[in-house]
Amino acid sequence: MLLRVVTEDWVSAAIIVGTLPLIPIFMMLIGWATQARMDRQWQLLSRLSGHFLDVVAGLPTLKVFGRAKAQAESIRKITGEYRRATMRTLRIAFLSSFALELLATISVALVAVTIGMRLVHGNMELYDGLVILILAPEAYLPLRQVGARYHAAVEGVAAAEEIFAVLEAPVPAGGTGVVPAGGAVGVAVDGVTVRYPGRAADAVRGVSFAVEPGETVALVGPSGSGKSTLLNVLLGFVRPTAGRALVGGADLADVSLDGWRERVAWVPQRPHLFAGTIAENVRLARPGAADADVVEALRAAGAGEFVAGLPRGVETVLGEDGAGLSAGQRQRIALARAFLADRPVVLLDEPTAALDGETEAGIVEAVRRLAVGRTVVMVVHRPALLGVADRVVRVDAVVGGADDRGDGNGGGGLGSRAGGGSS
Ligand SMILES: Nc1ncnc2c1ncn2[C@@H]1O[C@H](COP(=O)(O)OP(=O)(O)O)[C@@H](O)[C@H]1O
Ligand SMILES: [Mg+2]
């Protein structure tokens, strides 16, 4: 394009070449002047939007407890701050793009004026003048677009930095040992105490229990007593402050965590489904699995019927976090992952929380099938699932301050039950 201008008219070409670099130079100058401010603004914006989301997501709970009114003031304050922060950010964005647009316009005007002069003096053909005039703004277009994209990029960088902060957060490093081979391995916690960083109290204190290979153990205890934390310890996500976790008789601190996690299927308290098809979501557990295996896993998890009833079956596309499915359906798809993964050790965190009776019965049956021949530790909230367990371990809430219990939790707190199929 510039070449065309050069061949048509070198004066205009010289003006364009002379003014083009001004745009990036000004962009950098503006960038430097506002960088710190922009960074702060984006941080503020993302913090506010996160806060806003928390408050809104928590509204149903607050409503139930009659506290929704009290949150109105908080929401008003957040939205007010959000608006002001957005306006400040937009002002900077508008000002900088205004400056760039102005620069480009003045440069084109400069070209236009010289062409006009030469046309008047008869030094230039009308055709040439028109061609240059039409082409000149095109020369600035890409750079102006860069200016417009710049703000989108700043936003992206801010988001990416947050993501990397999570990705780069140190994960407890594992050892290099291997978990003793064999089918179902036993797991145990031995005097485990966990205190999360920045917390004044222990999340769990001095808990001990052992799960034999092939045994199904239910963890029960009040909310906040550290049941999920204990599963996280067994997964190697959380390192005990004191005590140790044993897997297959080896200290989890000494074994390779990747190797260990290949032996474990885990269904967390709130399993996340990704935007994608049902099949893709189940296949997460074993990416190479054949279609038939995916269908089989769904069937085993008690999801076969409702998935088959969907117009597109396993190819049904789910929204973010399983939008379009009920809680029970999401839970069964998460269980299907555990079936497909087919690992010797299974950790389930409250698989029947928030389900109605009929759905719960389906999941209890699915868990009973899953438990056969596997070592299972499951956090249980409601009695229905207790029937699946061979043994119940009670986890008590840590009582503030006083070191009143270090005795751990021997098995059989609530009495042993005849196991449903597991050996
Ligand atoms: N990632 C975390 N950081 C700090 N504290 C946590 C974290 N996870 C859980 N806790 C705290 O540890 C305690 C036990 O939590 P949790 O293991 O989730 O209990 P449960 O699953 O029995 O309801 C709670 O007081 C909780 O607030
Ligand atoms: Mg929990």
Side-chain angles (χ1 to χ4, degrees):
M1 207 285 313
L2 204 55
L3 211 71
R4 182 75 199 273
V5 179
V6 173
T7 53
E8 291 285 343
D9 173 23
W10 66 267
V11 180
S12 302
I15 293 175
I16 292 176
V17 169
T19 51
L20 263 185
L22 288 181
I23 292 184
I25 289 173
F26 266 73
M27 217 157 69
M28 273 190 268
L29 286 178
I30 294 172
W32 273 331
T34 58
Q35 184 68 51
R37 225 196 138 116
M38 290 287 272
D39 278 353
R40 226 176 35 239
Q41 293 294 357
W42 287 120
Q43 264 167 21
L44 185 65
L45 276 184
S46 66
R47 213 182 55 231
L48 283 175
S49 56
H51 193 35
F52 186 64
L53 202 66
D54 281 348
V55 172
V56 172
L59 271 181
T61 317
L62 292 168
K63 182 87 193 152
V64 169
F65 293 108
R67 299 271 308 147
K69 275 259 160 50
Q71 286 294 319
E73 186 51 38
S74 155
I75 291 181
R76 189 169 308 129
K77 211 168 120 251
I78 295 171
T79 44
E81 271 179 53
Y82 195 88
R83 181 174 49 79
R84 276 190 295 278
T86 311
M87 289 315 285
R88 278 197 299 267
T89 312
L90 283 179
R91 205 173 306 143
I92 296 177
F94 279 140
L95 270 180
S96 68
S97 37
F98 173 71
L100 297 181
E101 291 290 329
L102 192 68
L103 206 64
T105 310
I106 290 175
S107 305
V108 174
L110 217 60
V111 174
V113 167
T114 60
I115 290 176
M117 303 276 269
R118 279 177 290 159
L119 282 179
V120 169
H121 291 291
N123 297 341
M124 196 182 209
E125 292 291 316
L126 182 61
Y127 170 79
D128 294 339
L130 283 180
V131 168
I132 303 290
L133 259 187
I134 290 169
L135 287 182
E138 294 293 319
Y140 297 93
L141 192 63
L143 279 174
R144 278 164 45 206
Q145 279 173 341
V146 169
R149 299 279 181 275
Y150 173 75
H151 297 287
V154 171
E155 198 170 356
V157 167
E161 272 169 5
E162 263 178 55
I163 292 171
F164 281 120
V166 173
L167 287 182
E168 285 163 7
V171 177
T176 50
V178 287
V179 182
V185 291
V187 297
V189 292
D190 180 16
V192 161
T193 296
V194 173
R195 176 171 299 194
Y196 287 102
R199 286 294 175 117
D202 295 337
V204 293
R205 187 183 299 158
V207 174
S208 307
F209 64 84
V211 184
E212 301 301 322
E215 195 182 22
T216 300
V217 162
L219 290 183
V220 299
S223 178
S225 57
K227 304 178 299 294
S228 299
T229 300
L230 286 170
L231 291 192
N232 284 332
V233 166
L234 286 173
L235 281 159
F237 290 149
V238 172
R239 182 159 275 193
T241 322
R244 54 199 190 131
L246 298 164
V247 298
D251 191 334
L252 190 57
D254 299 332
V255 304
S256 148
L257 287 178
D258 286 341
W260 166 237
R261 292 194 191 118
E262 276 169 20
R263 311 271 292 273
V264 185
W266 173 52
V267 181
Q269 199 162 353
R270 271 179 296 278
H272 189 86
L273 300 184
F274 296 92
T277 66
I278 291 180
E280 281 166 355
N281 266 291
V282 176
R283 212 173 254 132
L284 210 67
R286 183 146 65 84
D291 288 346
D293 293 342
V294 171
V295 172
E296 175 56 29
L298 282 164
R299 202 193 52 74
E305 218 165 285
F306 90 79
V307 171
L310 295 169
R312 303 201 52 204
V314 293
E315 294 305 321
T316 304
V317 177
L318 303 179
E320 187 57 45
D321 205 7
L325 298 181
S326 74
Q329 292 171 335
R330 281 200 289 265
Q331 198 63 263
R332 274 176 279 179
I333 288 183
L335 266 182
R337 280 181 185 157
F339 274 100
L340 188 70
D342 192 17
R343 310 272 171 83
V345 179
V346 178
L347 305 180
L348 303 175
D349 203 343
E350 304 201 16
T352 59
L355 299 185
D356 60 54
E358 200 181 316
T359 323
E360 182 176 32
I363 290 191
V364 168
E365 276 320 301
V367 170
R368 199 186 290 281
R369 283 192 293 270
L370 185 62
V372 177
R374 298 191 171 95
T375 307
V376 179
V377 184
M378 55 184 182
V379 175
V380 175
H381 227 78
R382 308 208 311 195
L385 207 54
L386 279 180
V388 179
D390 301 321
R391 198 151 53 83
V392 177
V393 170
R394 174 165 286 280
V395 183
D396 293 314
V398 173
V399 182
D403 194 9
D404 51 355
R405 48 177 287 274
D407 55 335
N409 295 268
L414 290 186
S416 300
R417 273 151 217 269
S422 46
S423 53

